[in-house]
Each structure stands twice: as structure tokens, then as C-alpha cells.
Amino acid sequence: MKLNTILLSAALCGSLSAFGWGQKGHDVTAAIAERHLTQATLDSINSILGGKSIVYYANWPDNACHTDEYAYTKTWHYRNIDPDETYASAPRNEAGDVVSAIEEQVAVLRNPSASKDDKWLALVLTVHFLGDIHQPLHMGRLSDRGGNSHEIKYFGGKTNLHSTWDSKLVESAHKWGYTEWVDQIDRADEAETALILDGGTPLSWGEETYEIAKKVYDSTPEGTNVSYDYIADWSPVIEQQFLRGGLRLADLLNGAFDPAYTQRNGLK
């Protein structure tokens, strides 16, 4: 998979990336999911990833999309919708978006005829995209490139809305490593977990995140100086989105790799 080449390219293209929760967010999402995988699913994943965990590869697609080999995946990290459109009416990107990408990669994981290499790529992309689809600015506006051209300040320093949500808010909310994040927020009871998973699809998750994105824009006009009150207001949403992404990722992977889980939960 040319992993070494892709990791070396990160130094060159990382600053150009408009993707991700930031590394911390993707690690948290994947680590939550890993705690909820069945043994059958873990065995399949270990075989596909050569013993590496899904956390190990959680940020790989952000670097890979800047290489020639995987440049076709650049648009798969987001779906941008302008305010004069609705989620349903907004034109779809012909090159693909995060909703269609998740649907397509999960289909590969479920396909018994897919090669191990194809499943490797589908797995690492699915892990990453479940983080992306729960990051509100990945459902941001087309006109400002998902908040990348939406200029604001962060404690007086110039930045943009997308960058703020990728990592600045996450790091300001809690000075935790990713395992500490998981320990603190992966505490949903059965009822809450069922509500998070109930009848959800990539399409409905995208719409759910889009509704959050609209509120983010409303609360953060251009020129806003983000400070303590803003962090306090939005930190619970970040925690919520990490948890949703992790639990839904686990559900997708268990459904793809564990027939007993599929049968038990009435999945197709």
C-alpha cells in the first residue's frame, strides 16, 4: 500500500489538508469503535490490517489523498452545501462525497469476493470517513470550502472556521490524549447507544451533521473572536459527535464482518 511513501508525503501536503477532525478526533473515533467490536470482527480486521489496529490507520486517508495514487479520494471527505440549498436539493459532487464514499466502501467490506487489498483500502477509508461525516464543517458551505475561507479569530489570532473545528476546539476542550478522551466519553448506556444507532444510514448521519453545521455558522459569523464561552458552548457537541462516530463505525464493521451480529441486530 506504499505506506512509507504516503507517510513521508505528509510533511509536504499536511499543511494543505482541509480534511479531518484533526488527528486526535480520528484517533478517538476509531478507538471508541474498537472497544465495541466483536471478536469475529476483530479477527477479520487483524487479518486485513496485518495485526495493526484501526486506530493505527485512522488518519492515513488525509495524507493519502494528496498522493497521485489516491488523489481521486479528495472529495470523499466531505459534502458541501450552500445556504440557498437544502440537504436534499444540493447538487452532488460527481467525483463523490463522504456519504457515497461510506456506502461504497462498506459494500466492498461486505463483498465476499473482494480481494484483501480492496478490503484493506475500504476498511481504512471507512474508519476515517466515519470521523469526517460527524465533523460539522465537513457538511459546511460550498462557497467557503467548508469554512476554510470563513475567517475568524481564535483568542485574537487569525484563523478560519474549518481549522478551528478540526483541532483547535478539540485541544481546548480537554487536554487529553486520545485514550483519555475515550475513557471519559465512551459511557453511553444501552438506551443511549440504541438511540444513536437506531435506523441510521450514512445519508441520515450526513443530514444530522448538516443541521449542526448550520448552527455553527449562525453562532460564528466572519470576524468572530472565539474564546472561552464558545469553547464551553460547543465542547459537548464535539464529545457527542466523537461518540456517535465511534459507535456507528463499530456497528458498520460488526455488520460487515460478523454474521452473528448481523443476524442478532436484524441488519441486512
Side-chain angles (χ1 to χ4, degrees):
M1 289 298 171
K2 305 180 181 178
L3 177 60
N4 291 335
T5 301
I6 290 167
L7 290 177
L8 288 172
S9 76
L12 299 176
C13 68
S15 63
L16 301 177
S17 177
F19 305 125
W21 262 117
Q23 182 172 340
K24 183 71 64 63
H26 283 291
D27 287 348
V28 172
T29 299
I32 290 173
E34 194 165 49
R35 288 189 173 189
H36 296 273
L37 299 178
T38 67
Q39 189 58 53
T41 299
L42 285 169
D43 290 345
S44 294
I45 288 174
N46 285 338
S47 175
I48 293 169
L49 298 185
K52 296 288 196 302
S53 77
I54 58 174
V55 179
Y56 184 90
Y57 288 110
N59 288 279
W60 181 90
D62 272 347
N63 297 326
C65 70
H66 294 292
T67 67
D68 290 342
E69 185 174 3
Y70 298 105
Y72 66 91
T73 67
K74 281 185 178 181
T75 67
W76 295 8
H77 295 248
Y78 57 87
R79 185 180 181 203
N80 290 156
I81 303 164
D82 272 334
D84 59 345
E85 299 279 359
T86 67
Y87 182 76
S89 70
R92 302 295 290 268
N93 191 324
E94 292 183 0
D97 61 34
V98 68
V99 174
S100 60
I102 293 171
E103 294 170 341
E104 291 165 5
Q105 302 317 305
V106 172
V108 173
L109 296 178
R110 290 177 174 271
N111 181 359
S113 299
S115 69
K116 186 173 181 178
D117 282 350
D118 286 345
K119 289 198 173 188
W120 186 98
L121 182 58
L123 176 57
V124 298
L125 291 177
T126 299
V127 169
H128 186 84
F129 294 156
L130 260 290
D132 283 343
I133 201 170
H134 289 90
Q135 206 275 54
L137 272 296
H138 283 247
M139 292 290 164
R141 295 173 181 170
L142 180 63
S143 56
D144 66 13
R145 300 182 301 122
N148 278 285
S149 302
H150 187 103
E151 296 183 356
I152 62 172
K153 295 179 180 180
Y154 199 79
F155 290 92
K158 291 183 179 180
T159 186
N160 63 68
L161 188 59
H162 192 109
S163 176
T164 296
W165 272 83
D166 265 356
S167 56
K168 290 181 175 66
L169 282 180
V170 174
E171 297 299 341
S172 294
H174 302 290
K175 292 296 184 183
W176 295 335
Y178 81 85
T179 56
E180 293 171 298
W181 271 93
V182 176
D183 286 341
Q184 296 303 319
I185 70 174
D186 184 21
R187 300 186 176 207
D189 60 22
E190 288 187 13
E192 183 181 358
T193 299
L195 187 62
I196 289 171
L197 299 181
D198 186 27
T201 66
L203 187 64
S204 67
W205 302 334
E207 184 169 19
E208 176 185 74
T209 303
Y210 169 64
E211 293 301 322
I212 297 172
K214 291 194 293 184
K215 295 176 182 177
V216 171
Y217 276 101
D218 287 345
S219 71
T220 326
E222 288 202 72
T224 295
N225 183 32
V226 170
S227 188
Y228 297 104
D229 288 348
Y230 190 96
I231 294 167
D233 288 342
W234 286 105
S235 292
V237 175
I238 292 171
E239 296 171 13
Q240 164 194 276
Q241 293 302 97
F242 284 173
L243 181 61
R244 285 174 172 175
L247 293 178
R248 289 165 177 170
L249 174 58
D251 189 54
L252 284 181
L253 297 180
N254 285 330
F257 292 119
D258 187 346
Y261 180 92
T262 300
Q263 184 176 19
R264 186 165 64 249
N265 291 277
L267 301 177
K268 296 181 179 180

